[in-house]
């Protein structure tokens, strides 16, 4: 291929076989000129080793490539030779200076340092370092407004008024839920804390923040977990910080393994994560890990502790029965949809898909209720376990979800001065609980909800955290763990998940670990740049084992030949009414395609009691 430049546009004269390299570099296709192009020299610089060009363009792109390489180094920097004003008696840690320097050089920055590394201090450091910054809006969760007020008053180095909205001040602090009450206006810096709250672009909070982001001269987003579950959740954040450079569909296809399935576009996957991390670091993101910048901070250790079933036996039994019922209901609903699709009945197919979606919602709600019942039954065992821990450690943090679970655990541990923090508490009550736990040796237990106590507070007085319940989202679990594992912690933090064997939470714990592996690869792992390659495609349908299609066809013919029932009720003779047309249609075929055989196998599973042993071999 050959690269040429016209004005601010770099075009590629290329062959069709070279399209994948151009896509991965970030070029776009222009159907008018029938050429790939980009307006960013850093993207074109990625093709220096595979493309021809004149010497002036090559020199330009080499400079852009050097700038990108420097940006990558800066995004991981652990120190910076820069003087930043700080209040008397306070100072920035070396890596915090580097983070402030990065933000000074970028009008839009995502500080994604691992939790506990002082992102709030770095944000205020940017204000101290730039005297042109006169007015600021801070958006954060409601539980963190008082913390931001305190830190601003503590770290600001020049006179600025600070207030919690709706009061007028140089620094206005508000929470996501109240943001819509503030009229959008031009500000020097918009600071958005816990920016992962903006993962859904359709919510009111995300739309409100987007309006403020457009009006801000500088945008500074903070979060230790920019990806909570999957890469697609990052898009709305990067699009607000760096609009125009992260178009939705290329992002979804390139980094989320997006494909169009039977139920629409599926974007829940993850792909090209090393490339995603590199692009983020070279444009908007600075992220450092505790292990790299706080070498004196001991690591976390995780344990899964199985407790006796005891009084929770009936709750766990109810879970198991419900899971069997859900599996059968989903199999039936999925088969109904596949049958309708095979018959070409669009109306029936759409109705079946709606039923399947409704069923999933019902299952989720019932599952949540059952998990709550199990947690409540398990709570006394959790309290007993914490009491044993207190025989060898001075303080313990307990995290849970539901108020009644938290109340029960706190009541059982009242003799240890247990305090709690949930969404029911006001700002003063929350801060009092944290202060007492941190400072009072008689307060040995802190019981908090994963959501309300999982962000913005410090619980370093303890080095053990026990999860009485688990969260669906691995990022929320990490947030809660790092209330202990942060600056000020002097001991290795022990994280214990208390589960009942064979319960839903026991299986969820394993799933959360697997999810965290994906997130670590996207945000933290040091990996070499991936070679240029094609975009991900849907895998081909796997062939059936030899002879299985013939066995499926034989089974279908057995059912089709049953007498006297060809289209009656599902009564143990032949097909039921729903399956008759398709079953007889497939049975009349000379051979079955892979798709037909798989569908036939699904049908036969419903009628396995009528099948001879040789057909049952397909399972």
């Amino acid at each position: 291929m050959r690269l040429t430049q016209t004005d601010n546009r770099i075009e590629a004269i290329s062959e069709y076989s070279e399209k994948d390299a151009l896509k991965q570099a970030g070029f776009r296709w222009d159907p008018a000129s029938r050429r790939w192009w980009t307006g960013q020299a850093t993207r074109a610089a990625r093709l220096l080793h595979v493309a021809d060009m004149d010497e002036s363009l090559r020199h330009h792109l080499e400079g852009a490539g050097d700038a990108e390489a420097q940006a990558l180094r800066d995004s991981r920097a652990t120190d910076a030779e820069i003087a930043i004003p700080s209040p008397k008696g306070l100072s920035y840690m070396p890596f915090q200076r580097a983070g402030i320097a990065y933000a000074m050089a970028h009008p839009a920055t995502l500080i994604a340092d691992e939790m506990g590394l002082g992102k709030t201090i770095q944000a205020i450091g940017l204000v101290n370092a730039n005297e042109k910054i006169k007015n600021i809006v801070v958006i954060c969760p409601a539980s963190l407004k008082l913390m931001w007020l305190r830190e601003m008053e503590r770290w600001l180095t020049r006179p600025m008024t600070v207030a919690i909205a709706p009061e007028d001040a140089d620094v206005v602090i508000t929470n996501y839920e109240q943001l819509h009450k503030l009229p959008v206006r031009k500000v020097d810096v918009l600071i958005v804390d816990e920016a992962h709250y903006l993962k859904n672009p359709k919510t009111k909070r995300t739309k409100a923040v987007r309006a403020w982001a457009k009006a801000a001269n500088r945008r500074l987003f903070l979060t230790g977990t920019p990806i909570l579950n999957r890469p697609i959740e990052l898009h709305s954040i990067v699009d607000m910080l760096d609009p125009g450079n992260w178009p939705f569909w290329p992002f979804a296809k390139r980094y989320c393994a997006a494909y169009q399935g039977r139920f629409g576009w599926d974007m829940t996957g993850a792909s090209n994560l090393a490339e995603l991390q590199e692009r983020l670091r070279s444009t908007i993101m600075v992220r450092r890990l505790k292990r790299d910048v706080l070498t004196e901070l001991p690591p976390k250790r995780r344990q899964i502790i199985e407790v006796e079933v005891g009084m929770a036996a009936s709750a766990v039994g109810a879970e198991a029965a419900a899971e069997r019922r859900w599996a059968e209901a989903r199999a039936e609903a999925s088969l109904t949809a596949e049958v309708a699709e095979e018959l070409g009945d669009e109306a029936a197919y759409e109705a079946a898909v709606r039923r399947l979606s409704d069923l999933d919602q019902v299952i989720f709600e019932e599952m949540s209720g059952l998990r709550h019942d199990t947690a409540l039954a398990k709570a006394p065992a959790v309290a007993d376990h914490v009491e044993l821990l207190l025989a060898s450690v001075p303080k313990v943090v307990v995290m849970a979800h539901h108020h009644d679970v938290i109340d029960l655990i706190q009541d059982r541990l009242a003799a240890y001065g247990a305090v709690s923090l949930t969404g029911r508490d006001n700002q003063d009550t929350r801060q009092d609980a944290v202060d007492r736990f941190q400072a009072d040796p008689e307060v040995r237990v802190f019981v908090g909800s994963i959501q309300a106590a999982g962000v913005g507070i410090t619980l370093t007085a303890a080095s053990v955290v026990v999860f009485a319940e688990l969260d669906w989202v691995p990022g929320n679990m990490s947030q809660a763990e790092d209330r202990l594992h942060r600056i000020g912690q002097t001991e290795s933090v022990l994280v214990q998940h208390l589960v009942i064997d064979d319960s839903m939470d026991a299986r969820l714990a394993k799933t959360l670990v697997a999810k965290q592996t994906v997130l670590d690869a996207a945000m933290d792992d040091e990996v070499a740049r991936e070679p240029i390659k094609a975009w991900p495609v849907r895998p081909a349908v796997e062939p059936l084992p030899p002879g299985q299609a013939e066995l499926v066809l034989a089974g279908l013919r057995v059912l089709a030949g049953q007498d006297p029932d060809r289209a009656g009720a599902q009564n143990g003779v032949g097909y039921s009414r729903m399956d008759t047309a398709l079953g007889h249609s497939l049975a009349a075929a000379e051979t079955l395609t892979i798709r037909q055989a798989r569908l036939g196998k699904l049908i036969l599973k419903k009628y396995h009691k009528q099948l001879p042993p040789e057909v049952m071999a397909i399972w």
Side-chain angles (χ1 to χ4, degrees):
M1 74 177 72
R2 181 173 181 79
L3 300 183
T4 63
Q5 185 171 22
T6 304
D7 297 326
N8 294 322
R9 178 173 166 133
I10 300 172
E11 295 183 339
I13 303 171
S14 60
E15 301 292 335
Y16 178 81
S17 60
E18 296 170 317
K19 70 181 189 308
D20 293 329
L22 289 160
K23 286 180 180 179
Q24 184 170 340
F27 277 59
R28 300 182 188 179
W29 174 251
D30 181 359
S33 65
R34 299 192 63 78
R35 287 186 179 178
W36 292 91
W37 71 279
T38 182
Q40 297 185 41
T42 53
R43 295 184 179 182
R46 297 167 187 166
L47 299 175
L48 276 168
H49 63 295
V50 296
D52 296 324
M53 63 199 77
D54 61 43
E55 286 305 312
S56 62
L57 179 56
R58 182 172 293 278
H59 180 72
H60 175 55
L61 296 187
E62 286 175 347
D66 291 342
E68 182 179 36
Q70 183 60 50
L72 285 170
R73 289 192 292 271
D74 290 345
S75 76
R76 289 189 173 92
T78 57
D79 200 354
E81 295 296 327
I82 183 173
I84 304 168
S86 61
K88 185 178 180 179
L90 297 175
S91 62
Y92 305 101
M93 300 184 78
F95 70 89
Q96 292 171 338
R97 288 199 302 269
I100 296 168
Y102 187 100
M104 291 174 64
H106 295 77
T109 301
L110 173 64
I111 298 184
D113 286 343
E114 197 173 8
M115 291 165 287
L117 295 185
K119 292 183 288 294
T120 302
I121 294 170
Q122 293 175 67
I124 302 173
L126 172 65
V127 178
N128 291 339
N130 188 343
E131 292 189 355
K132 293 182 180 180
I133 295 175
K134 304 294 185 182
N135 55 83
I136 305 150
V137 168
V138 178
I139 306 169
C140 63
S143 61
L144 302 186
K145 289 191 292 186
L146 187 57
M147 182 276 294
W148 269 100
L149 179 65
R150 288 182 175 182
E151 292 298 295
M152 281 286 184
E153 293 173 342
R154 182 183 179 209
W155 279 89
L156 284 172
T157 56
R158 49 196 163 92
M160 300 185 79
T161 56
V162 184
I164 293 176
E167 292 185 36
D168 188 23
D170 298 325
V171 182
V172 175
I173 302 169
T174 188
N175 57 295
Y176 288 100
E177 293 75 17
Q178 299 296 317
L179 181 60
H180 68 280
K181 296 182 179 180
L182 293 181
V184 177
R185 58 184 171 86
K186 198 77 172 177
V187 292
D188 294 326
V189 179
L190 176 71
I191 300 174
V192 180
D193 195 11
E194 305 298 344
H196 55 272
Y197 277 38
L198 308 175
K199 66 179 183 177
N200 186 344
K202 298 179 181 179
T203 61
K204 290 182 179 179
R205 69 167 60 147
T206 301
K207 293 176 181 178
V209 173
R210 185 180 294 277
W212 277 90
K214 289 180 179 179
N217 293 329
R218 282 184 172 272
R219 301 174 297 282
L220 184 59
F221 285 24
L222 316 176
T223 176
T225 50
I227 304 175
L228 288 172
N229 269 310
R230 48 187 69 93
I232 194 63
E233 296 172 349
L234 183 63
H235 183 264
S236 63
I237 298 173
V238 299
D239 189 50
M240 276 187 264
L241 286 169
D242 194 16
N245 292 322
W246 300 84
F248 179 78
W249 284 108
F251 183 96
K253 292 176 180 177
R254 185 67 190 165
Y255 304 120
C256 309
Y259 67 89
Q260 192 164 17
R262 195 164 57 248
F263 305 123
W265 279 94
D266 187 319
M267 304 175 191
T268 59
S271 52
N272 302 303
L273 298 181
E275 178 191 320
L276 172 59
Q277 183 186 168
E278 190 173 80
R279 279 193 64 193
L280 289 168
R281 288 185 177 278
S282 65
T283 54
I284 59 173
M285 185 179 80
V286 56
R287 178 170 171 88
R288 284 73 54 88
L289 306 179
K290 292 173 187 171
R291 67 182 184 226
D292 298 328
V293 298
L294 292 179
T295 54
E296 75 281 4
L297 186 62
K300 285 185 285 189
R301 296 170 294 139
R302 291 186 177 91
Q303 296 177 341
I304 296 179
I305 307 295
E306 294 181 1
V307 299
E308 294 289 336
V309 175
M311 296 174 61
S314 60
V316 175
E319 283 186 0
E323 286 183 294
R324 289 192 296 270
R325 187 173 70 255
W326 298 333
E328 293 172 359
R330 284 204 95 263
E332 182 77 22
S334 297
L335 179 59
T336 302
E338 293 195 37
V339 169
E341 184 180 25
E342 187 71 22
L343 293 174
D345 190 334
E346 185 175 351
Y349 174 74
E350 291 179 355
V353 171
R354 285 195 298 271
R355 283 197 298 272
L356 187 59
S357 177
D358 292 343
L359 176 62
D360 283 341
Q361 182 61 36
V362 170
I363 289 174
F364 178 80
E365 291 174 358
E366 188 177 351
M367 182 185 300
S368 298
L370 288 170
R371 288 184 64 210
H372 171 229
D373 293 343
T374 301
L376 195 58
K378 183 178 62 176
V382 173
D384 291 343
H385 177 77
V386 171
E387 195 166 14
L388 289 174
L389 288 173
L390 290 170
S392 56
V393 297
K395 291 177 183 273
V396 175
V397 173
V398 183
M399 292 288 183
H401 260 308
H402 297 93
H403 290 159
D404 52 359
V405 175
I406 291 170
D407 292 344
L408 194 155
I409 294 172
Q410 182 185 12
D411 183 63
R412 288 284 296 263
L413 297 171
Y416 300 92
V419 295
S420 68
L421 192 162
T422 71
R424 299 169 295 185
D425 300 320
N426 60 37
Q427 297 294 326
D428 293 337
T429 303
R430 294 179 183 208
Q431 193 62 49
D432 180 66
V434 173
D435 292 344
R436 290 177 60 200
F437 181 74
Q438 287 288 93
D440 188 347
E442 299 299 318
V443 179
R444 301 185 62 194
V445 179
F446 179 97
V447 190
S449 70
I450 294 172
Q451 294 292 331
V455 296
I457 63 173
T458 296
L459 300 173
T460 50
S463 60
V464 179
V465 56
V466 174
F467 283 90
E469 296 182 86
L470 304 182
D471 195 279
W472 298 104
V473 180
N476 291 342
M477 302 290 289
S478 296
Q479 290 265 24
E481 292 173 0
D482 284 353
R483 299 311 94 207
L484 289 71
H485 191 247
R486 56 198 299 109
I487 297 172
Q489 182 57 262
T490 59
E491 300 181 24
S492 177
V493 172
L494 177 62
V495 180
Q496 294 185 334
H497 301 293
L498 263 64
V499 299
I500 297 174
D501 186 32
D502 206 29
S503 67
M504 283 189 279
D505 268 4
R507 291 185 289 280
L508 179 60
K510 298 175 183 178
T511 302
L512 288 171
V513 171
K515 282 186 178 181
Q516 194 63 54
T517 301
V518 172
L519 306 190
D520 290 345
M523 301 309 303
D524 304 326
D525 288 352
E526 286 281 3
V527 287
R529 172 178 276 186
E530 297 175 355
I532 301 292
K533 60 186 180 183
W535 283 19
V537 296
R538 291 188 68 188
V541 177
E542 294 183 6
L544 293 167
Q548 190 164 107
E550 289 77 7
L551 283 175
V552 171
L553 183 57
L556 293 168
R557 288 174 175 171
V558 168
L559 294 174
Q562 293 280 23
D563 230 4
D565 190 358
R566 287 172 58 91
Q570 188 170 345
N571 57 9
V573 181
Y575 294 107
S576 69
R577 181 180 291 106
M578 182 185 73
D579 302 324
T580 298
L582 180 58
H584 281 271
S585 173
L586 293 175
E590 292 187 10
T591 59
L592 297 179
T593 65
I594 294 177
R595 176 183 173 81
Q596 289 172 331
R598 290 185 181 279
L599 184 55
K601 187 175 177 180
L602 283 172
I603 295 174
L604 291 182
K605 192 171 184 179
K606 295 172 58 178
Y607 306 100
H608 63 277
K609 293 182 180 180
Q610 301 182 51
L611 300 176
E614 59 270 21
V615 174
M616 293 293 291
I618 61 176
W619 289 288

